[in-house]
Amino acid sequence: MDARLLADLNARRHARQAVAVVTPLPGGETRLVGDGDDLAGDPLAVEIAAALRAGRSGIVAKDGAETFINVHVPAPRIVAIGAVHISQALIPVAAAAGYDLIVVDPRTAFATPERFAATTLLADWPEAVLPGLGIDRYTALAAVTHDPKIDDWAIVHAIRRDAFYVGALGSRKTHAKRRERLLSAGLTEADVEGIHAPIGIDIGAASPGEIAVAVMAEVIEAFRRRPIGAPRSPGAPRSPGAPGSIGSRPPGAPS
Amino acid sequence: MQIDATGTDVPGTDVPGTDVLGVAERWIAAGRPVALATVVETWGSAPRPVGSHLVIDGEGAFEGSVSGGCVEGAVIAEAVEVIADGAPRLLEFGVADETAWRVGLSCGGRIRVLVERVG
């Protein structure tokens, strides 16, 4: 392995990018394939895409040759907007599924360390803290405050940053109003269609614990079945947004 | 093949707080010759999952693990050779039942380990 390739690999890992290290056996020239690189024409396109999606390393045998694909995938995580009862219930559920949980809420009456001792709590507006978190394709966003002033900016930001899951709490009527606001804010119909609302898989969940399980199940499905290998081109926003509009991509930020 | 249940970075490759690939990069920056050993295949109850790394320098100093201690000695000896001649080696080990028992596994396993020079 080339030293520059190792440095490149480490840089991508630290930037929370999924990357596959592809090495012909019994040892040969190693190459890196990032999640988002164009795989068209790659003889191992299908195998590399599958390995990246599953987060699974292994050997593939093709045309009499063995190749080792070592996959490095960022840890998936959930950002919950709203330090509410559902978010409290989500702490042990997310931990059981192996997801990190970050809770964001500017309302200090809700965002108390006592209620969220077991997780990362940021008692500030999403506008203030989400850009620093580096929302990415391995981040899920669950907006559960019921307050558009807090939820909307975070939803738009997460969609623009390609979060693998965006879910929002609220009835269908609430979501219809949200839909109008988000379209006015510059999201496309396709963007808004991608929002999971009402949040959580439909299991008739009623209590906060049950809703947390329904949300977690939806997040897991979105992650495990997410499309790999044919993403949008780097730097191209999924939807046009005027500079300075809510959720707009900061200059120079990774896509 | 070991499946990462959480989708996190290469499962179980690193002891928390020990980034083996980061160590390899730092050693190279410090001018040390470095080999990287990687578990590429496992059968049975192998102690470390596919993708696990061990980094070794020319003096036999190492960080990380490919077998939880079962075959590290042999891998390190090969790695010093790899550093010397630059030719990668693909090694196969059977992890004996007795050894497997010692590392807390109920039955034996086999692993294949790629050892290559970095730099």
Side-chain angles (χ1 to χ4, degrees), chain A residues 185-223:
Chain A
L187 289 188
T188 65
E189 286 281 348
D191 288 338
V192 176
E193 281 303 309
I195 298 171
H196 296 263
I199 199 167
I201 60 167
D202 186 5
I203 51 172
S207 72
E210 289 170 359
I211 294 169
V213 169
V215 170
M216 193 66 236
E218 200 168 55
V219 168
I220 291 168
E221 181 181 43
F223 187 72

Tab-separated table of all heavy atoms in Angstrom, chain A residues 185-223:
chain	number	residue	atom	x	y	z
A	185	ALA	N	-39.845	27.452	1.183
A	185	ALA	CA	-38.456	27.680	1.596
A	185	ALA	C	-37.462	27.226	0.531
A	185	ALA	O	-36.258	27.396	0.688
A	185	ALA	CB	-38.179	26.949	2.909
A	186	GLY	N	-37.973	26.604	-0.550
A	186	GLY	CA	-37.076	26.260	-1.650
A	186	GLY	C	-36.851	24.780	-1.867
A	186	GLY	O	-36.136	24.393	-2.789
A	187	LEU	N	-37.466	23.925	-1.045
A	187	LEU	CA	-37.332	22.492	-1.301
A	187	LEU	C	-38.189	22.108	-2.502
A	187	LEU	O	-39.183	22.758	-2.815
A	187	LEU	CB	-37.788	21.675	-0.085
A	187	LEU	CG	-36.888	21.702	1.160
A	187	LEU	CD1	-37.393	20.683	2.184
A	187	LEU	CD2	-35.435	21.417	0.826
A	188	THR	N	-37.785	21.018	-3.159
A	188	THR	CA	-38.571	20.529	-4.300
A	188	THR	C	-39.648	19.563	-3.799
A	188	THR	O	-39.601	19.097	-2.660
A	188	THR	CB	-37.676	19.777	-5.290
A	188	THR	OG1	-37.186	18.600	-4.631
A	188	THR	CG2	-36.500	20.628	-5.744
A	189	GLU	N	-40.570	19.246	-4.693
A	189	GLU	CA	-41.590	18.235	-4.375
A	189	GLU	C	-40.920	16.923	-3.962
A	189	GLU	O	-41.333	16.268	-3.019
A	189	GLU	CB	-42.478	17.981	-5.602
A	189	GLU	CG	-43.453	19.091	-5.908
A	189	GLU	CD	-44.689	19.058	-5.006
A	189	GLU	OE1	-44.882	18.029	-4.312
A	189	GLU	OE2	-45.432	20.041	-4.984
A	190	ALA	N	-39.865	16.535	-4.708
A	190	ALA	CA	-39.184	15.272	-4.415
A	190	ALA	C	-38.539	15.311	-3.029
A	190	ALA	O	-38.569	14.324	-2.281
A	190	ALA	CB	-38.122	14.991	-5.477
A	191	ASP	N	-37.955	16.457	-2.677
A	191	ASP	CA	-37.363	16.609	-1.346
A	191	ASP	C	-38.415	16.368	-0.265
A	191	ASP	O	-38.191	15.636	0.704
A	191	ASP	CB	-36.805	18.021	-1.157
A	191	ASP	CG	-35.544	18.275	-1.968
A	191	ASP	OD1	-34.869	17.304	-2.336
A	191	ASP	OD2	-35.251	19.462	-2.221
A	192	VAL	N	-39.554	17.023	-0.446
A	192	VAL	CA	-40.603	16.964	0.574
A	192	VAL	C	-41.218	15.567	0.636
A	192	VAL	O	-41.535	15.060	1.709
A	192	VAL	CB	-41.677	18.044	0.297
A	192	VAL	CG1	-42.819	17.928	1.287
A	192	VAL	CG2	-41.055	19.432	0.375
A	193	GLU	N	-41.338	14.930	-0.546
A	193	GLU	CA	-41.854	13.556	-0.574
A	193	GLU	C	-40.965	12.604	0.229
A	193	GLU	O	-41.424	11.610	0.766
A	193	GLU	CB	-41.942	13.053	-2.020
A	193	GLU	CG	-43.146	13.570	-2.781
A	193	GLU	CD	-44.446	13.227	-2.088
A	193	GLU	OE1	-44.644	12.033	-1.755
A	193	GLU	OE2	-45.252	14.141	-1.858
A	194	GLY	N	-39.665	12.915	0.268
A	194	GLY	CA	-38.715	12.043	0.957
A	194	GLY	C	-38.780	12.123	2.475
A	194	GLY	O	-38.161	11.307	3.172
A	195	ILE	N	-39.518	13.099	2.997
A	195	ILE	CA	-39.618	13.231	4.452
A	195	ILE	C	-40.565	12.163	5.005
A	195	ILE	O	-41.651	11.956	4.481
A	195	ILE	CB	-40.139	14.639	4.833
A	195	ILE	CG1	-39.150	15.704	4.357
A	195	ILE	CG2	-40.362	14.744	6.346
A	195	ILE	CD1	-39.698	17.123	4.490
A	196	HIS	N	-40.127	11.471	6.029
A	196	HIS	CA	-40.963	10.460	6.661
A	196	HIS	C	-41.909	11.142	7.646
A	196	HIS	O	-41.502	11.576	8.722
A	196	HIS	CB	-40.094	9.422	7.381
A	196	HIS	CG	-39.227	8.635	6.462
A	196	HIS	ND1	-39.560	7.387	5.988
A	196	HIS	CD2	-38.029	8.932	5.900
A	196	HIS	CE1	-38.616	6.937	5.183
A	196	HIS	NE2	-37.665	7.853	5.110
A	197	ALA	N	-43.174	11.272	7.245
A	197	ALA	CA	-44.164	11.896	8.099
A	197	ALA	C	-45.527	11.306	7.782
A	197	ALA	O	-45.868	11.186	6.600
A	197	ALA	CB	-44.179	13.413	7.901
A	198	PRO	N	-46.299	10.946	8.760
A	198	PRO	CA	-45.957	10.950	10.184
A	198	PRO	C	-44.739	10.055	10.462
A	198	PRO	O	-44.565	9.052	9.783
A	198	PRO	CB	-47.216	10.380	10.853
A	198	PRO	CG	-48.313	10.523	9.836
A	198	PRO	CD	-47.634	10.439	8.510
A	199	ILE	N	-43.963	10.436	11.442
A	199	ILE	CA	-42.693	9.768	11.697
A	199	ILE	C	-42.904	8.345	12.226
A	199	ILE	O	-43.860	8.067	12.937
A	199	ILE	CB	-41.851	10.615	12.693
A	199	ILE	CG1	-40.379	10.221	12.627
A	199	ILE	CG2	-42.399	10.490	14.119
A	199	ILE	CD1	-39.462	11.212	13.343
A	200	GLY	N	-42.003	7.443	11.827
A	200	GLY	CA	-42.022	6.079	12.362
A	200	GLY	C	-42.837	5.123	11.508
A	200	GLY	O	-43.806	5.520	10.863
A	201	ILE	N	-42.418	3.845	11.499
A	201	ILE	CA	-43.208	2.853	10.756
A	201	ILE	C	-44.565	2.703	11.432
A	201	ILE	O	-44.719	2.959	12.632
A	201	ILE	CB	-42.490	1.486	10.659
A	201	ILE	CG1	-42.221	0.891	12.046
A	201	ILE	CG2	-41.196	1.605	9.879
A	201	ILE	CD1	-41.815	-0.571	12.001
A	202	ASP	N	-45.554	2.301	10.652
A	202	ASP	CA	-46.939	2.274	11.126
A	202	ASP	C	-47.219	1.001	11.919
A	202	ASP	O	-47.568	-0.036	11.358
A	202	ASP	CB	-47.887	2.383	9.923
A	202	ASP	CG	-49.340	2.499	10.365
A	202	ASP	OD1	-49.588	2.584	11.584
A	202	ASP	OD2	-50.209	2.499	9.481
A	203	ILE	N	-46.997	1.077	13.230
A	203	ILE	CA	-47.312	-0.071	14.100
A	203	ILE	C	-48.332	0.346	15.155
A	203	ILE	O	-48.468	-0.299	16.194
A	203	ILE	CB	-46.040	-0.641	14.778
A	203	ILE	CG1	-45.235	0.467	15.471
A	203	ILE	CG2	-45.172	-1.377	13.773
A	203	ILE	CD1	-44.066	-0.045	16.317
A	204	GLY	N	-48.999	1.465	14.903
A	204	GLY	CA	-49.980	1.936	15.870
A	204	GLY	C	-49.358	2.433	17.152
A	204	GLY	O	-49.988	2.425	18.217
A	205	ALA	N	-48.104	2.871	17.072
A	205	ALA	CA	-47.385	3.319	18.273
A	205	ALA	C	-48.122	4.484	18.933
A	205	ALA	O	-48.575	5.405	18.252
A	205	ALA	CB	-45.962	3.741	17.906
A	206	ALA	N	-48.235	4.439	20.255
A	206	ALA	CA	-48.936	5.492	20.982
A	206	ALA	C	-48.061	6.111	22.071
A	206	ALA	O	-47.966	7.332	22.184
A	206	ALA	CB	-50.214	4.930	21.600
A	207	SER	N	-47.391	5.291	22.861
A	207	SER	CA	-46.572	5.824	23.953
A	207	SER	C	-45.234	6.315	23.394
A	207	SER	O	-44.818	5.927	22.302
A	207	SER	CB	-46.322	4.739	24.990
A	207	SER	OG	-45.414	3.775	24.468
A	208	PRO	N	-44.535	7.177	24.152
A	208	PRO	CA	-43.222	7.640	23.688
A	208	PRO	C	-42.263	6.493	23.382
A	208	PRO	O	-41.547	6.531	22.372
A	208	PRO	CB	-42.711	8.473	24.867
A	208	PRO	CG	-43.949	8.966	25.536
A	208	PRO	CD	-44.950	7.847	25.400
A	209	GLY	N	-42.268	5.451	24.214
A	209	GLY	CA	-41.387	4.310	23.977
A	209	GLY	C	-41.729	3.595	22.678
A	209	GLY	O	-40.848	3.209	21.913
A	210	GLU	N	-43.020	3.435	22.439
A	210	GLU	CA	-43.454	2.765	21.204
A	210	GLU	C	-43.107	3.609	19.981
A	210	GLU	O	-42.667	3.082	18.949
A	210	GLU	CB	-44.960	2.505	21.260
A	210	GLU	CG	-45.338	1.423	22.263
A	210	GLU	CD	-46.844	1.332	22.497
A	210	GLU	OE1	-47.599	2.127	21.898
A	210	GLU	OE2	-47.254	0.476	23.273
A	211	ILE	N	-43.285	4.920	20.091
A	211	ILE	CA	-42.940	5.803	18.966
A	211	ILE	C	-41.427	5.744	18.713
A	211	ILE	O	-40.974	5.708	17.565
A	211	ILE	CB	-43.410	7.253	19.236
A	211	ILE	CG1	-44.945	7.288	19.289
A	211	ILE	CG2	-42.893	8.203	18.152
A	211	ILE	CD1	-45.528	8.592	19.808
A	212	ALA	N	-40.637	5.692	19.798
A	212	ALA	CA	-39.176	5.597	19.640
A	212	ALA	C	-38.805	4.330	18.873
A	212	ALA	O	-37.936	4.346	17.999
A	212	ALA	CB	-38.496	5.627	21.011
A	213	VAL	N	-39.461	3.215	19.190
A	213	VAL	CA	-39.191	1.956	18.482
A	213	VAL	C	-39.588	2.087	17.011
A	213	VAL	O	-38.851	1.655	16.112
A	213	VAL	CB	-39.950	0.783	19.144
A	213	VAL	CG1	-39.903	-0.465	18.268
A	213	VAL	CG2	-39.353	0.483	20.522
A	214	ALA	N	-40.739	2.717	16.759
A	214	ALA	CA	-41.208	2.883	15.372
A	214	ALA	C	-40.245	3.762	14.577
A	214	ALA	O	-39.968	3.500	13.403
A	214	ALA	CB	-42.611	3.486	15.370
A	215	VAL	N	-39.741	4.820	15.213
A	215	VAL	CA	-38.775	5.713	14.552
A	215	VAL	C	-37.485	4.960	14.265
A	215	VAL	O	-36.928	5.024	13.165
A	215	VAL	CB	-38.500	6.962	15.417
A	215	VAL	CG1	-37.334	7.764	14.853
A	215	VAL	CG2	-39.750	7.827	15.524
A	216	MET	N	-37.016	4.212	15.278
A	216	MET	CA	-35.749	3.483	15.109
A	216	MET	C	-35.871	2.480	13.972
A	216	MET	O	-34.948	2.331	13.153
A	216	MET	CB	-35.396	2.770	16.430
A	216	MET	CG	-33.970	2.241	16.477
A	216	MET	SD	-32.745	3.576	16.456
A	216	MET	CE	-31.780	3.083	15.029
A	217	ALA	N	-36.989	1.778	13.902
A	217	ALA	CA	-37.188	0.789	12.831
A	217	ALA	C	-37.137	1.468	11.460
A	217	ALA	O	-36.533	0.956	10.516
A	217	ALA	CB	-38.524	0.079	13.018
A	218	GLU	N	-37.738	2.651	11.373
A	218	GLU	CA	-37.754	3.375	10.102
A	218	GLU	C	-36.346	3.839	9.723
A	218	GLU	O	-35.951	3.785	8.554
A	218	GLU	CB	-38.702	4.573	10.218
A	218	GLU	CG	-39.176	5.126	8.899
A	218	GLU	CD	-40.327	6.103	9.087
A	218	GLU	OE1	-40.171	7.077	9.866
A	218	GLU	OE2	-41.386	5.908	8.483
A	219	VAL	N	-35.591	4.275	10.730
A	219	VAL	CA	-34.210	4.717	10.494
A	219	VAL	C	-33.358	3.546	10.013
A	219	VAL	O	-32.577	3.661	9.056
A	219	VAL	CB	-33.613	5.343	11.775
A	219	VAL	CG1	-32.106	5.525	11.643
A	219	VAL	CG2	-34.284	6.678	12.081
A	220	ILE	N	-33.500	2.410	10.667
A	220	ILE	CA	-32.714	1.225	10.281
A	220	ILE	C	-33.023	0.832	8.840
A	220	ILE	O	-32.124	0.568	8.041
A	220	ILE	CB	-33.002	0.046	11.234
A	220	ILE	CG1	-32.430	0.329	12.626
A	220	ILE	CG2	-32.416	-1.256	10.676
A	220	ILE	CD1	-32.911	-0.636	13.698
A	221	GLU	N	-34.303	0.821	8.501
A	221	GLU	CA	-34.684	0.459	7.131
A	221	GLU	C	-34.095	1.450	6.119
A	221	GLU	O	-33.559	1.055	5.084
A	221	GLU	CB	-36.205	0.412	6.991
A	221	GLU	CG	-36.620	0.010	5.578
A	221	GLU	CD	-38.124	-0.026	5.404
A	221	GLU	OE1	-38.813	0.888	5.890
A	221	GLU	OE2	-38.608	-0.984	4.776
A	222	ALA	N	-34.185	2.736	6.454
A	222	ALA	CA	-33.658	3.752	5.532
A	222	ALA	C	-32.160	3.570	5.334
A	222	ALA	O	-31.643	3.748	4.233
A	222	ALA	CB	-33.963	5.152	6.069
A	223	PHE	N	-31.456	3.191	6.393
A	223	PHE	CA	-30.000	3.038	6.294
A	223	PHE	C	-29.628	1.774	5.532
A	223	PHE	O	-28.802	1.800	4.631
A	223	PHE	CB	-29.365	3.016	7.681
A	223	PHE	CG	-27.864	3.027	7.634
A	223	PHE	CD1	-27.184	4.170	7.265
A	223	PHE	CD2	-27.130	1.885	7.926
A	223	PHE	CE1	-25.793	4.194	7.195
A	223	PHE	CE2	-25.739	1.899	7.864
A	223	PHE	CZ	-25.077	3.053	7.502
